[in-house]
Amino acid sequence: MTVTSAPGQTVVDLTTPTAVQIGQTRTLTVGVRNAGGTSLGGLAAQIVLPTGLTPVDSELPTDWVCVATSGSLVDCTLDGPIAPGASAPIVVAVKPERGVQGSIAVSVTGAGTTTATGASVVSVLTPTLEFDPSVTAEFVRGAGTVSFGVTNSGKGAATDLVATVSVPRAVTLASPPASDAEHWQCTRVDDQHVSCTLASLAAGSSATLVLSATAQAATVQAVVVEVSDGLSSITSSAKLTISSAGLTPRGQWTGGYASTEIGTPILGCDLASVACQGVMADLGGSASNNSQDMVPLKDPRATLSIPADREIAFAGLYWSGNRYAGPGVDPVDTWKGSQTAVTVHAPGGAAQAVDGVVLATALDSGDREYYQSFADVTDLVRAHGSGSWAVDGVAYAGTMKDPVKSYYAGWSLVVVYATPGVDQDVTLYDGGAWVATGSSTTFAFDGRAGRTARFGVVAWEGDRNGASKGDTLSLGSTVLAPRRADGSFGQAYDAFSSTATGSGFNNSLGVDATSFASVPLTDGINRLTAATVGDQYLIGAVTVTSTATTP
């Protein structure tokens, strides 16, 4: 008989790396086996966890009894031996927190055996949240949706996601529909806020969300979405461009800006006539372009006055005219000039060709066609600033065969510039709001209490009619008085009375580029109503310049 020594031999099997996900509990399995020839007894193990990886008390399938003795130490004992060739794995629950790094170290000792050790580097699987697709907001005639998608491009699952959707007061979010547990669960907090949760988003997965909304007023503000998983958050926004009454936000400038508007007719009565000279020089009266034999004016100009050394934030050129289309298919009048290409003469500068777009068209009950065009001329106004401006090539009726004469044509320049040290904001809306005879249209926008508003308006075909065919511009129940060519205020019942600021004519015969008396804003949705009794006109642009009146 040969006797061979075959003591028990402890071996620790620990896979490396050990992958963990921040904030998620996982089980850690440490293999302990007997590679010797006799049983192993009296075994004890110590597990040293790196900072940020903490043990969690949990019922797990293991023969070991483990106790966390500190934030990073776990002591385990095995009641009973491990037979030769057998194993008894240690299973403990651990949870990683933010900032975990380092390695797991394990040592196992037993009676008559050497200490066996094992180690494993901790690999943190972190989620990475991204917006895909990005936040969008689409509205048509007041009804719309706010949508976005969240993608987890990281290596770990994201859990307990919270998405907060915020919209401006001009928009109302609808109550979200019910959803199953695998999708976003949403709750409407109030008209402008929805909170949504998602239990988990696996690595490489995406989750989209679509919310219904209704636009109550024009706005240029943004919808904002924030998504968080408790460890990190991402934020995205989408600029809203919502129209009201045919007017769409062109831009908004906050923190110290002012606006002005100038303009001039390019058609007028025949200034060779003393009577015509009196009409276009009259500050009051009731003379209009109606029934006038309109002719092109010689070098009509308008003067722009901006305080020296002020930053020009924006300048927009608008031009408009009308023609008689007649009751048939083919227009009776032909256009002379262009609706999309004009020549601008800046102060002290050479003529410059400018290309634009048609923003709006209209057809009245007398078969007359109207248009308004726009071109961004910010760089041009920055370069040349204040002084005398002229525009050639504006489209007007070249034949004028309308049996009921009502022709006009002209241009306007709207300029936004800096006003340092003044708590004043400017929002510009443009497009086309047609106000037919005996009707009204209401433009809604978001306002704040403690501020007054100056409304600048570019309008076309407004007649100086007096009270008999009066037109009005009202904020709520307050009827606003228009500013006349000399800076005084005219009659509130004759809001669009052919006054083009900066023109050489007190009566511009169908062209309005002026402002109205300031009025306090209310908190929330404000409504600006243009109405008429016997007149008709096209509103092309509105600037709302709001100034703080309280600290």
Side-chain angles (χ1 to χ4, degrees), residues 263-268 280 297 300-301 409-411 500 503 505 507-509 511:
T264 190
I266 65 163
L267 293 181
M280 298 193 74
L297 296 170
R301 290 180 169 268
W411 61 266
S503 172
F505 308 104
N507 186 340
S508 53
L509 294 180
V511 177

Side-chain angles (χ1 to χ4, degrees), residues 264-287:
T264 190
I266 65 163
L267 293 181
C269 54
D270 187 357
L271 287 171
S273 163
V274 174
C276 173
Q277 295 172 18
V279 165
M280 298 193 74
D282 194 358
L283 189 63
S286 58

Side-chain angles (χ1 to χ4, degrees), residues 113-133:
T113 65
T114 58
T115 299
T117 61
S120 177
V121 175
V122 174
S123 173
V124 180
L125 303 180
T126 58
T128 301
L129 299 179
E130 299 173 348
F131 284 102
D132 186 19

Side-chain angles (χ1 to χ4, degrees), residues 322-336 363 366-369 396-404 407:
N322 68 346
R323 69 174 178 176
Y324 180 51
V329 176
D330 296 326
V332 174
D333 286 337
T334 57
W335 289 117
K336 185 172 183 178
L363 182 67
D367 295 319
R368 300 178 194 91
E369 291 181 352
Y396 64 92
T399 51
M400 301 188 185
K401 297 179 180 179
D402 191 347
V404 181
Y407 291 101

